[in-house]
Every structure is written in structure tokens, then in C-alpha cells.
Amino acid sequence: MELNRNFNDIKESYLFAEVGARASAYASSHPDKQVLKLGIGDVTLPLVPAVIDALHKAVDEMADSATFRGYGPYEGYGFLRDAIKNYYASYGVNVASDEIFVSDGAKSDLGNILDLFAKQNTVLVPDPVYPVYVDTNLMAGRKVIYACANAGNGFLPMPDYKVKADIIYICSPNNPTGASYSTAQLKEWVDYANKLGAVILYDAAYECFITEKDVARSVFQIEGARTCAIEFCSFSKIAGFTGTRCGYTVIPRELEKDGLNVNKMWLRRQSTKFNGVPYIVQRGAEAVFTQEGQRQIKENIAFYRRNAKLIADCMDRLGIWYTGGKNSPYIWLKCPGGMGSWEFFDYLLNNAQVVGTPGAGFGENGEGYFRLTAFGSERVTAEAVARIEKLFG
Ligand code: MLT
């Protein structure tokens, strides 16, 4: 028996597990202090009434033999795939229902999709970035190279034709930096991928936070994307499903290579390894796209945007450099006083009892930066901002 030695190439614990463990250790050794958590991007508002009503109704259906459901379709129920298709159409993007695959979240799909790609592919990942892209590829033994994101390029690296890659990850609006590609910039990535015969794995989990017109909401707004891109999206951030679990992946029928069709391969993979998302959850997700659901989730998103502004305004007052907060629920700031990311994490925890996420956990280029999330409650966000202002003001 041999274990997968590639696990030696990844950090011992997942970034957010590490942040959580350090915050818990501090809290248990300082029971008199109130720790404010703006670390992991977990939502705090409850599910909206339209979703709750749909969930209750679906629970009742499961209690009646006339409406009970057992195994569902591997790719998701038609009612939800159609609702997602119509959501795309609402902002001018045409995808077909059979190009949409419902899952238990974007994180799982982003890792699972790698089953479809050969081990010898070279993977291009922006640095810094959501650690799942790197860890899942390293676990599989793939070679990972980095596109350097930094303050100089606004944390939006552009393609370099000298670099050859087979799998390209793009997350926009970006986690952790909040920086977002315009449609014109994204077109350059799509052209590059098509030229190389590479695939773009496009993480659109934060599209609902986009406020600016020229920022891309979907890679499929870009001409040429259907021959090179897969899009991952989630109900976590748009509708507070972090604990409910539902997401979707869009794979155009045109995406193929060497006679293999990626859409068909993914269905084959999912039907072999996945038994679908619970009916009840899919009914809840469907309600997100009703008129009432849209109105209600937009109120929640507006709430998180106000939190982001609270944090951003504080950074402005303190003269701390940051990106994000505009098309994104994350504020990505330069650690004051030239501190390193984990040094600042400890400093903030010890002196203000505020937890954030060290930028270094997202890649080497994240060193010296720090991420705060706007997903906290109003009280926690306002109190954290007041404590940070007191510490650095
Ligand atoms: C984050 O904090 O980066 C996200 O919550 C992680 C995730 O969505 O899995």
C-alpha cells in the first residue's frame, strides 16, 4: 500500500482551518475577550423568506407518497437548471439547460473537475488566489505555475504568450483581492486560451457583488469563451447557502478535444461519483430566482455591501492601501507598518481581537497583505472597524 505522497507538497492544514484553529486557541485562553470574526467569507444573514417557504413546501412534498422523490437526476432537476438558464438570459448570456450541472457547491466542483484532465497538464493560477485551486492540483501531482498579481497590475495579471499553460484558473471578482476583470480584459484571457488550446476554469462565485457596468459577470459574455471555458458558480454568496450547499457548473457543448466532449465527460463523472443535490435544497435554490426571491436576496447583498463600505471607509480614513470592497465582499489591504501577513494576524487578534485572513495564505504574493470579509453581522463589522480605527488612528 502506498499513500498519495503529493500530500507532502501541500500545507498541513487548509488555510481557513488554520485561521479558525488560531482564533479558537486565542478565544479559549482569553475567555474575557470578545473575538470578532471577519476571516472566512461565511454569510451571517439567514436564508430569505422565499427560500425558506420553498424549503418547507419541499419538505412537505417529501412526507407524501404522491410527491415523494428518491434519487434525483445527477445533473440537477430541470426546474432548477431552467431557472439558472433564465438568470443568465436576464443579463444577456445564452446557455442551455443541458449545459448546466447542479452540485453541492463550487468548491467541490472546482476540485472534482480535475478528474477530467490528464495529470501532465500545466496549471496556471494567479498568485494570490483561493487556495483550493492550488491544493487540488498539487494533491493530484500536477505542475502549477503562477501569474503574478500585485499592486502594480491592480491584482489583475494579464496573459503572457511566452507562458504555456493547459488549465487556467480565473476568479473574478477575485477571492481574495476583490479585483475584477473588465469584459475587455477577460477577452484577452479567452483569446489566449483559445490560441493555446487551453481551458479556463472560471470561478464566478462573487458575480452578484458586481456593481460596475464594464466588469464581466460571466465568462460567457465573452466571444470565444464557449470553446475554452467552464464556469463555476454558487448559491453560497448570492443567497446565503454556505450551510445549505448548492452550486452549479456550466460546460458548453462546444468544449472538446481529441474527440472527447467535456460536457459529456462531466455528466459521466458526476453520474459515477455523485448522486445529486437533495430535492429540498434544489427547490430552495429555485426560489432564489423568483421575483420575490430576487428582491429579498438583493436586500441581503446590499446589507453586505454596506459592511464592505464601512470597512473601506475606515481604510480610507487610516490611509491604508486596499483593493476590493466595490464589486466584492472582500477588502484586501496592505498590512500597516510593513508587517507580514501572519504577524498582522497576530497583532490584530492580540490587540483588537479581530480575526481576518492573512494574505500569505493565498499565495506568496499575498505576503504583507490581509483580507477582511464584509459577510459579518452589522454589529460585528461596526465594532471591528471601531477597534481597528482605535488601534491605528
Ligand atoms: C473564503 O473565505 O474564501 C470562502 O468562504 C471560502 C469558500 O467559499 O469556500
Side-chain angles (χ1 to χ4, degrees), residues 116-198:
L116 274 46
F117 299 101
K119 192 180 149 190
Q120 60 270 24
N121 285 307
T122 297
V123 181
L124 178 63
V125 179
D127 173 3
V129 88
Y130 184 42
V132 169
Y133 314 154
V134 175
D135 288 356
T136 50
N137 277 290
L138 293 181
M139 281 176 191
R142 250 178 230 105
K143 182 177 170 200
V144 178
I145 57 174
Y146 296 92
C148 183
N150 52 37
N153 58 23
F155 286 95
L156 292 171
M158 295 308 293
D160 174 354
Y161 279 82
K162 293 192 291 299
V163 174
K164 303 286 171 235
D166 305 300
I167 299 172
I168 302 161
Y169 283 85
I170 297 179
C171 177
S172 179
N174 185 267
N175 179 12
T177 68
S180 311
Y181 284 110
S182 67
T183 43
Q185 288 171 316
L186 203 49
K187 174 85 172 88
E188 290 191 37
W189 277 108
V190 166
D191 290 347
Y192 169 76
N194 276 322
K195 178 101 196 284
L196 259 54

Coordinates of all heavy atoms in Angstrom, one line a residue, residues 116-198:
L116 N -11.3 15.2 -15.0 CA -11.4 15.2 -16.5 C -10.1 15.5 -17.2 O -10.0 15.4 -18.4 CB -12.5 16.3 -16.9 CG -13.9 15.9 -16.9 CD1 -14.4 15.1 -15.7 CD2 -14.8 17.1 -17.1
F117 N -9.1 15.9 -16.4 CA -7.9 16.4 -17.1 C -6.7 15.5 -16.8 O -6.5 15.1 -15.6 CB -7.6 17.9 -16.7 CG -8.7 18.8 -17.1 CD1 -9.6 19.2 -16.2 CD2 -8.8 19.2 -18.4 CE1 -10.6 20.1 -16.6 CE2 -9.8 20.1 -18.8 CZ -10.7 20.5 -17.9
A118 N -5.8 15.3 -17.8 CA -4.7 14.4 -17.6 C -3.7 15.1 -16.6 O -3.6 16.3 -16.4 CB -4.0 14.2 -18.9
K119 N -2.9 14.2 -16.0 CA -2.0 14.6 -14.9 C -0.9 15.5 -15.5 O -0.4 16.4 -14.8 CB -1.4 13.4 -14.2 CG -0.7 13.7 -13.0 CD -0.1 12.5 -12.3 CE 1.2 12.9 -11.6 NZ 1.9 11.8 -11.1
Q120 N -0.5 15.3 -16.7 CA 0.6 16.1 -17.2 C 0.3 17.5 -17.7 O 1.2 18.2 -18.1 CB 1.3 15.3 -18.4 CG 0.4 15.1 -19.6 CD -0.3 13.7 -19.5 OE1 -0.5 13.2 -18.4 NE2 -0.7 13.2 -20.6
N121 N -1.0 17.9 -17.5 CA -1.3 19.3 -17.8 C -0.6 20.3 -16.9 O -0.5 20.1 -15.7 CB -2.8 19.6 -17.7 CG -3.6 18.9 -18.8 OD1 -3.3 19.2 -20.0 ND2 -4.5 18.1 -18.5
T122 N -0.2 21.4 -17.5 CA 0.4 22.5 -16.7 C -0.8 23.5 -16.3 O -1.6 23.9 -17.1 CB 1.5 23.3 -17.5 OG1 2.5 22.3 -17.7 CG2 2.0 24.4 -16.7
V123 N -0.8 23.8 -15.0 CA -1.9 24.7 -14.5 C -1.4 26.1 -14.2 O -0.4 26.2 -13.5 CB -2.4 24.0 -13.2 CG1 -3.5 24.8 -12.6 CG2 -2.8 22.5 -13.5
L124 N -2.1 27.0 -14.7 CA -1.7 28.4 -14.4 C -2.7 29.1 -13.5 O -3.9 29.1 -13.7 CB -1.7 29.2 -15.8 CG -1.4 30.7 -15.7 CD1 0.1 30.9 -15.1 CD2 -1.5 31.4 -17.0
V125 N -2.2 29.5 -12.4 CA -3.0 30.0 -11.3 C -2.5 31.4 -10.9 O -1.3 31.6 -10.8 CB -2.9 29.1 -10.0 CG1 -3.8 29.6 -8.9 CG2 -3.3 27.7 -10.4
P126 N -3.4 32.4 -10.7 CA -3.0 33.7 -10.3 C -2.5 33.6 -8.8 O -3.0 32.7 -8.1 CB -4.2 34.6 -10.3 CG -5.3 33.7 -10.7 CD -4.9 32.4 -10.9
D127 N -1.5 34.3 -8.5 CA -1.0 34.4 -7.1 C -1.1 35.8 -6.6 O -0.5 36.7 -7.2 CB 0.5 33.9 -7.1 CG 1.1 34.0 -5.7 OD1 0.4 34.5 -4.8 OD2 2.3 33.8 -5.6
P128 N -1.9 36.1 -5.6 CA -2.6 35.2 -4.7 C -4.0 34.8 -5.3 O -4.5 35.5 -6.1 CB -2.9 36.1 -3.5 CG -3.0 37.5 -4.1 CD -2.0 37.6 -5.2
V129 N -4.5 33.7 -4.7 CA -5.8 33.2 -5.1 C -6.4 32.2 -4.1 O -5.6 31.7 -3.2 CB -5.7 32.5 -6.5 CG1 -5.3 31.1 -6.4 CG2 -7.0 32.7 -7.3
Y130 N -7.7 32.0 -4.2 CA -8.4 31.0 -3.4 C -7.6 29.7 -3.4 O -7.3 29.1 -4.5 CB -9.7 30.8 -4.1 CG -10.7 29.9 -3.4 CD1 -10.9 29.9 -2.1 CD2 -11.5 29.0 -4.2 CE1 -11.9 29.1 -1.5 CE2 -12.5 28.2 -3.6 CZ -12.7 28.2 -2.3 OH -13.6 27.4 -1.7
P131 N -7.2 29.2 -2.2 CA -6.2 28.1 -2.1 C -6.7 26.8 -2.7 O -5.8 25.9 -3.0 CB -5.9 28.0 -0.6 CG -7.0 28.8 0.1 CD -7.5 29.7 -0.9
V132 N -8.0 26.6 -2.9 CA -8.5 25.3 -3.4 C -7.9 25.0 -4.8 O -7.6 23.8 -5.1 CB -10.0 25.4 -3.5 CG1 -10.6 24.2 -4.2 CG2 -10.6 25.5 -2.0
Y133 N -7.7 26.0 -5.6 CA -7.2 25.7 -7.0 C -5.8 25.0 -6.9 O -5.5 24.1 -7.6 CB -7.1 26.9 -7.8 CG -8.2 27.9 -7.8 CD1 -8.0 29.3 -8.1 CD2 -9.5 27.5 -7.6 CE1 -9.1 30.2 -8.1 CE2 -10.6 28.4 -7.6 CZ -10.3 29.7 -7.9 OH -11.4 30.6 -7.9
V134 N -5.0 25.6 -6.1 CA -3.6 25.1 -6.0 C -3.6 23.8 -5.3 O -3.0 22.8 -5.8 CB -2.7 26.1 -5.2 CG1 -1.3 25.6 -5.0 CG2 -2.6 27.4 -6.0
D135 N -4.2 23.7 -4.1 CA -4.1 22.5 -3.3 C -4.7 21.2 -4.1 O -4.1 20.2 -4.1 CB -4.9 22.6 -2.0 CG -4.3 23.6 -1.0 OD1 -3.1 24.0 -1.3 OD2 -4.8 23.8 0.0
T136 N -5.8 21.4 -4.8 CA -6.4 20.3 -5.5 C -5.5 19.8 -6.6 O -5.4 18.6 -6.9 CB -7.8 20.6 -6.1 OG1 -7.7 21.8 -6.8 CG2 -8.8 20.8 -5.0
N137 N -4.8 20.7 -7.3 CA -3.9 20.3 -8.3 C -2.6 19.6 -7.8 O -2.1 18.7 -8.3 CB -3.5 21.5 -9.2 CG -4.6 21.7 -10.3 OD1 -4.8 20.8 -11.2 ND2 -5.4 22.7 -10.1
L138 N -2.1 20.2 -6.7 CA -0.9 19.6 -6.1 C -1.2 18.2 -5.5 O -0.4 17.3 -5.7 CB -0.4 20.5 -4.9 CG 0.2 21.8 -5.4 CD1 0.7 22.6 -4.2 CD2 1.3 21.7 -6.4
M139 N -2.4 18.0 -5.0 CA -2.8 16.7 -4.5 C -2.8 15.7 -5.6 O -2.5 14.5 -5.4 CB -4.3 16.7 -4.0 CG -4.4 17.3 -2.6 SD -6.2 17.4 -2.2 CE -6.2 18.3 -0.7
A140 N -3.1 16.1 -6.8 CA -3.1 15.2 -8.0 C -1.7 15.1 -8.7 O -1.6 14.4 -9.7 CB -4.2 15.7 -9.0
G141 N -0.8 15.9 -8.2 CA 0.6 15.8 -8.7 C 0.8 16.6 -9.9 O 1.7 16.4 -10.7
R142 N -0.1 17.6 -10.2 CA 0.1 18.4 -11.4 C 1.0 19.6 -11.2 O 1.2 20.1 -10.1 CB -1.3 19.0 -11.8 CG -1.8 18.4 -13.1 CD -3.2 18.9 -13.4 NE -4.0 17.7 -13.7 CZ -4.9 17.3 -12.9 NH1 -5.2 17.9 -11.8 NH2 -5.6 16.2 -13.2
K143 N 1.7 20.0 -12.3 CA 2.6 21.1 -12.2 C 1.8 22.5 -12.2 O 1.0 22.7 -13.0 CB 3.5 21.1 -13.4 CG 4.5 22.2 -13.4 CD 5.5 22.1 -14.6 CE 6.3 23.3 -14.7 NZ 6.9 23.5 -16.0
V144 N 2.1 23.3 -11.2 CA 1.3 24.6 -11.0 C 2.3 25.7 -11.2 O 3.4 25.7 -10.6 CB 0.7 24.7 -9.6 CG1 0.0 26.0 -9.5 CG2 -0.3 23.5 -9.4
I145 N 2.0 26.6 -12.2 CA 2.8 27.8 -12.3 C 1.9 29.0 -12.0 O 0.7 28.9 -12.0 CB 3.4 27.9 -13.8 CG1 2.2 27.9 -14.8 CG2 4.4 26.8 -14.0 CD1 2.7 28.1 -16.2
Y146 N 2.5 30.2 -11.8 CA 1.7 31.3 -11.2 C 1.8 32.5 -12.1 O 2.8 32.8 -12.7 CB 2.3 31.6 -9.9 CG 2.1 30.5 -8.9 CD1 3.1 29.5 -8.7 CD2 0.9 30.3 -8.2 CE1 2.9 28.5 -7.8 CE2 0.7 29.2 -7.4 CZ 1.7 28.3 -7.2 OH 1.5 27.2 -6.3
A147 N 0.6 33.2 -12.2 CA 0.5 34.5 -12.9 C 0.6 35.5 -11.7 O -0.2 35.5 -10.8 CB -0.8 34.6 -13.6
C148 N 1.6 36.4 -11.8 CA 1.9 37.3 -10.7 C 0.9 38.4 -10.6 O 0.8 39.3 -11.5 CB 3.3 37.8 -10.9 SG 3.9 38.8 -9.6
A149 N 0.1 38.4 -9.5 CA -0.8 39.5 -9.3 C -0.2 40.4 -8.2 O 0.2 39.8 -7.2 CB -2.2 39.0 -8.8
N150 N -0.2 41.7 -8.4 CA 0.4 42.5 -7.4 C -0.2 43.9 -7.5 O -1.0 44.2 -8.4 CB 1.9 42.6 -7.5 CG 2.3 42.9 -9.0 OD1 1.6 43.7 -9.6 ND2 3.4 42.3 -9.5
A151 N 0.2 44.8 -6.6 CA -0.3 46.2 -6.6 C -0.1 46.8 -7.9 O -0.9 47.7 -8.4 CB 0.3 47.0 -5.4
G152 N 1.1 46.5 -8.6 CA 1.4 47.1 -9.8 C 0.4 46.8 -10.9 O 0.1 47.7 -11.8
N153 N -0.1 45.6 -11.0 CA -1.1 45.3 -12.0 C -2.6 45.3 -11.5 O -3.5 44.7 -12.1 CB -0.8 44.1 -12.8 CG -0.7 42.8 -11.9 OD1 -1.3 42.8 -10.8 ND2 0.0 41.8 -12.4
G154 N -2.7 46.0 -10.3 CA -4.1 46.0 -9.7 C -4.6 44.7 -9.3 O -5.8 44.4 -9.2
F155 N -3.7 43.7 -9.1 CA -4.0 42.3 -8.7 C -4.8 41.7 -9.9 O -5.6 40.8 -9.6 CB -4.7 42.2 -7.4 CG -3.7 42.4 -6.2 CD1 -3.6 43.6 -5.6 CD2 -2.9 41.3 -5.8 CE1 -2.6 43.8 -4.6 CE2 -2.0 41.5 -4.8 CZ -1.8 42.7 -4.2
L156 N -4.6 42.1 -11.1 CA -5.3 41.5 -12.3 C -4.2 41.2 -13.3 O -4.0 41.9 -14.3 CB -6.3 42.5 -12.8 CG -7.5 42.8 -12.0 CD1 -8.3 44.0 -12.6 CD2 -8.4 41.6 -11.8
P157 N -3.5 40.1 -13.1 CA -2.5 39.7 -14.1 C -3.1 39.4 -15.5 O -4.3 39.0 -15.6 CB -1.9 38.4 -13.6 CG -2.9 37.9 -12.6 CD -3.7 39.1 -12.1
M158 N -2.4 39.8 -16.6 CA -2.9 39.6 -17.9 C -2.1 38.4 -18.6 O -1.0 38.1 -18.1 CB -2.8 40.9 -18.7 CG -3.7 42.0 -18.2 SD -5.4 41.5 -18.0 CE -5.9 41.3 -19.7
P159 N -2.6 37.8 -19.7 CA -1.9 36.7 -20.2 C -0.5 37.1 -20.8 O -0.3 38.2 -21.3 CB -2.8 36.3 -21.4 CG -3.9 37.3 -21.5 CD -3.9 38.1 -20.3
D160 N 0.4 36.1 -20.7 CA 1.8 36.3 -21.2 C 2.0 35.2 -22.2 O 2.0 34.0 -21.8 CB 2.8 36.2 -20.0 CG 4.2 36.3 -20.5 OD1 4.4 36.2 -21.7 OD2 5.1 36.3 -19.6
Y161 N 2.1 35.5 -23.5 CA 2.1 34.5 -24.5 C 3.4 33.6 -24.5 O 3.5 32.6 -25.1 CB 1.9 35.1 -25.9 CG 0.4 35.3 -26.2 CD1 -0.2 36.4 -25.7 CD2 -0.3 34.4 -26.9 CE1 -1.6 36.6 -26.0 CE2 -1.7 34.5 -27.1 CZ -2.3 35.7 -26.7 OH -3.7 35.8 -26.9
K162 N 4.4 34.1 -23.7 CA 5.6 33.3 -23.5 C 5.3 32.1 -22.6 O 6.1 31.2 -22.5 CB 6.8 34.1 -22.9 CG 7.2 35.2 -23.9 CD 8.5 35.9 -23.5 CE 8.4 36.7 -22.3 NZ 7.5 37.9 -22.3
V163 N 4.3 32.2 -21.8 CA 3.9 31.2 -20.8 C 2.9 30.2 -21.4 O 1.9 30.6 -22.0 CB 3.3 31.8 -19.5 CG1 2.8 30.8 -18.6 CG2 4.3 32.8 -18.9
K164 N 3.3 28.9 -21.4 CA 2.4 27.9 -21.9 C 1.6 27.2 -20.8 O 2.3 26.6 -19.9 CB 3.2 26.9 -22.7 CG 4.0 27.5 -23.9 CD 3.1 27.9 -25.0 CE 3.8 28.7 -26.1 NZ 3.3 30.0 -26.4
A165 N 0.3 27.2 -20.9 CA -0.5 26.5 -19.8 C -1.6 25.8 -20.5 O -2.0 26.1 -21.6 CB -1.0 27.6 -18.9
D166 N -2.1 24.7 -19.8 CA -3.2 23.9 -20.3 C -4.5 24.2 -19.6 O -5.6 24.1 -20.1 CB -2.8 22.4 -20.2 CG -1.5 22.1 -20.8 OD1 -1.4 22.3 -22.0 OD2 -0.6 21.7 -20.1
I167 N -4.4 24.5 -18.3 CA -5.5 24.8 -17.5 C -5.3 26.1 -16.8 O -4.2 26.3 -16.2 CB -5.7 23.7 -16.4 CG1 -5.9 22.3 -17.0 CG2 -6.9 24.0 -15.4 CD1 -5.9 21.1 -16.0
I168 N -6.2 27.0 -17.0 CA -6.0 28.4 -16.4 C -7.2 28.7 -15.5 O -8.3 28.6 -15.8 CB -6.1 29.4 -17.6 CG1 -5.0 29.1 -18.6 CG2 -5.9 30.8 -17.1 CD1 -5.2 29.7 -20.0
Y169 N -6.8 29.1 -14.3 CA -7.9 29.5 -13.3 C -8.0 31.0 -13.3 O -7.0 31.7 -13.2 CB -7.5 29.0 -11.9 CG -7.7 27.6 -11.6 CD1 -6.7 26.7 -12.0 CD2 -8.8 27.1 -11.0 CE1 -6.9 25.3 -11.8 CE2 -9.0 25.7 -10.8 CZ -8.0 24.8 -11.1 OH -8.2 23.5 -10.9
I170 N -9.3 31.4 -13.4 CA -9.6 32.8 -13.2 C -10.7 32.9 -12.2 O -11.7 32.2 -12.3 CB -10.0 33.5 -14.5 CG1 -8.8 33.5 -15.5 CG2 -10.4 35.0 -14.3 CD1 -9.1 34.1 -16.9
C171 N -10.6 33.8 -11.2 CA -11.6 34.1 -10.3 C -11.9 35.6 -10.3 O -11.0 36.4 -10.0 CB -11.2 33.7 -8.9 SG -12.4 34.0 -7.6
S172 N -13.1 36.0 -10.7 CA -13.4 37.4 -10.9 C -14.9 37.6 -10.6 O -15.7 36.9 -11.3 CB -13.0 37.9 -12.3 OG -13.3 39.2 -12.4
P173 N -15.2 38.5 -9.7 CA -14.4 39.3 -8.8 C -13.6 38.3 -7.9 O -14.1 37.2 -7.5 CB -15.4 40.0 -7.9 CG -16.7 40.1 -8.8 CD -16.7 38.9 -9.6
N174 N -12.4 38.7 -7.7 CA -11.4 37.8 -7.2 C -11.5 37.6 -5.7 O -11.8 38.5 -4.9 CB -10.0 38.3 -7.5 CG -8.9 37.4 -7.1 OD1 -8.3 37.5 -6.0 ND2 -8.6 36.5 -8.0
N175 N -11.3 36.3 -5.3 CA -11.1 36.0 -3.9 C -9.6 35.6 -3.8 O -9.2 34.7 -4.5 CB -11.9 34.7 -3.6 CG -11.7 34.3 -2.1 OD1 -11.1 35.0 -1.4 ND2 -12.2 33.1 -1.8
P176 N -8.8 36.4 -3.1 CA -9.1 37.2 -2.0 C -9.1 38.7 -2.3 O -9.5 39.5 -1.4 CB -8.0 37.0 -1.0 CG -6.8 36.8 -1.9 CD -7.3 36.1 -3.2
T177 N -8.6 39.2 -3.5 CA -8.3 40.6 -3.6 C -9.5 41.5 -3.9 O -9.4 42.7 -3.8 CB -7.2 40.8 -4.7 OG1 -7.8 40.5 -6.0 CG2 -6.0 39.9 -4.5
G178 N -10.6 40.9 -4.4 CA -11.8 41.7 -4.8 C -11.6 42.4 -6.1 O -12.5 43.0 -6.7
A179 N -10.4 42.3 -6.7 CA -10.1 42.9 -8.0 C -10.9 42.1 -9.1 O -11.1 40.9 -9.0 CB -8.6 42.8 -8.4
S180 N -11.4 42.9 -10.1 CA -12.4 42.3 -11.1 C -12.0 42.6 -12.5 O -11.7 43.8 -12.8 CB -13.8 42.8 -10.8 OG -14.1 42.7 -9.4
Y181 N -12.0 41.6 -13.4 CA -11.7 41.8 -14.8 C -12.8 42.5 -15.5 O -14.0 42.2 -15.3 CB -11.4 40.5 -15.5 CG -10.0 39.9 -15.1 CD1 -9.9 38.8 -14.4 CD2 -8.8 40.6 -15.6 CE1 -8.7 38.2 -14.1 CE2 -7.6 40.0 -15.3 CZ -7.5 38.9 -14.5 OH -6.3 38.4 -14.3
S182 N -12.5 43.5 -16.4 CA -13.5 44.1 -17.3 C -13.7 43.0 -18.4 O -12.9 42.1 -18.6 CB -12.9 45.4 -17.8 OG -11.8 45.1 -18.7
T183 N -14.7 43.2 -19.1 CA -15.0 42.3 -20.3 C -13.9 42.4 -21.3 O -13.5 41.4 -21.8 CB -16.4 42.6 -20.9 OG1 -16.5 44.0 -21.1 CG2 -17.5 42.1 -20.1
A184 N -13.3 43.6 -21.5 CA -12.2 43.7 -22.4 C -10.9 42.9 -21.9 O -10.3 42.2 -22.7 CB -11.8 45.2 -22.6
Q185 N -10.7 43.0 -20.6 CA -9.5 42.2 -20.1 C -9.8 40.7 -20.2 O -8.9 39.9 -20.5 CB -9.3 42.6 -18.7 CG -8.7 44.0 -18.5 CD -8.6 44.4 -17.0 OE1 -9.6 44.2 -16.3 NE2 -7.5 45.0 -16.6
L186 N -11.0 40.3 -19.9 CA -11.3 38.9 -20.0 C -11.2 38.3 -21.4 O -10.8 37.2 -21.6 CB -12.7 38.7 -19.4 CG -13.1 37.3 -18.8 CD1 -12.0 36.8 -17.9 CD2 -14.4 37.3 -18.1
K187 N -11.5 39.2 -22.3 CA -11.4 38.8 -23.7 C -10.0 38.4 -24.1 O -9.7 37.4 -24.8 CB -11.9 40.0 -24.6 CG -11.7 39.7 -26.1 CD -12.9 39.0 -26.7 CE -12.8 38.9 -28.2 NZ -12.1 37.8 -28.8
E188 N -9.0 39.1 -23.5 CA -7.6 38.8 -23.7 C -7.3 37.4 -23.2 O -6.6 36.6 -23.8 CB -6.7 39.8 -23.1 CG -6.8 41.2 -23.7 CD -5.7 42.1 -23.3 OE1 -4.5 41.7 -23.0 OE2 -6.0 43.3 -23.2
W189 N -7.9 37.0 -22.0 CA -7.7 35.7 -21.5 C -8.3 34.6 -22.4 O -7.8 33.5 -22.6 CB -8.2 35.6 -20.1 CG -7.2 36.1 -19.0 CD1 -7.3 37.3 -18.3 CD2 -6.0 35.5 -18.6 NE1 -6.2 37.5 -17.5 CE2 -5.4 36.4 -17.7 CE3 -5.3 34.3 -19.0 CZ2 -4.2 36.1 -17.0 CZ3 -4.1 34.0 -18.3 CH2 -3.6 34.9 -17.4
V190 N -9.5 34.9 -22.8 CA -10.2 34.0 -23.7 C -9.4 33.7 -25.0 O -9.3 32.6 -25.4 CB -11.7 34.5 -24.0 CG1 -12.3 33.7 -25.1 CG2 -12.5 34.4 -22.7
D191 N -9.0 34.8 -25.6 CA -8.2 34.7 -26.8 C -6.9 33.9 -26.6 O -6.5 33.0 -27.4 CB -7.8 36.1 -27.4 CG -9.0 36.8 -27.9 OD1 -10.1 36.2 -28.1 OD2 -8.9 38.1 -28.1
Y192 N -6.3 34.1 -25.5 CA -5.0 33.4 -25.1 C -5.3 31.9 -24.9 O -4.6 31.1 -25.5 CB -4.5 34.0 -23.8 CG -3.4 33.3 -23.1 CD1 -2.1 33.4 -23.5 CD2 -3.7 32.6 -21.9 CE1 -1.1 32.7 -22.8 CE2 -2.6 32.0 -21.2 CZ -1.3 32.0 -21.7 OH -0.3 31.4 -21.0
A193 N -6.4 31.6 -24.2 CA -6.8 30.2 -24.0 C -7.1 29.5 -25.3 O -6.6 28.4 -25.6 CB -7.9 30.1 -23.0
N194 N -7.8 30.2 -26.2 CA -8.2 29.5 -27.5 C -6.9 29.3 -28.3 O -6.8 28.3 -29.0 CB -9.2 30.4 -28.2 CG -10.6 30.1 -27.8 OD1 -11.0 29.0 -27.5 ND2 -11.5 31.1 -27.7
K195 N -6.0 30.3 -28.3 CA -4.8 30.2 -29.1 C -4.0 29.0 -28.6 O -3.4 28.2 -29.4 CB -4.0 31.5 -28.9 CG -2.7 31.6 -29.6 CD -2.8 32.4 -30.9 CE -1.7 32.2 -31.8 NZ -0.5 32.9 -31.4
L196 N -3.9 28.8 -27.3 CA -3.1 27.7 -26.7 C -3.8 26.4 -26.7 O -3.2 25.4 -26.5 CB -2.8 28.1 -25.2 CG -1.4 28.6 -24.8 CD1 -1.1 29.9 -25.6 CD2 -1.4 29.0 -23.4
G197 N -5.1 26.4 -26.9 CA -5.9 25.2 -26.8 C -6.1 24.8 -25.3 O -6.2 23.6 -25.0
A198 N -6.0 25.8 -24.5 CA -6.2 25.6 -23.0 C -7.6 25.7 -22.6 O -8.5 26.2 -23.3 CB -5.3 26.6 -22.3

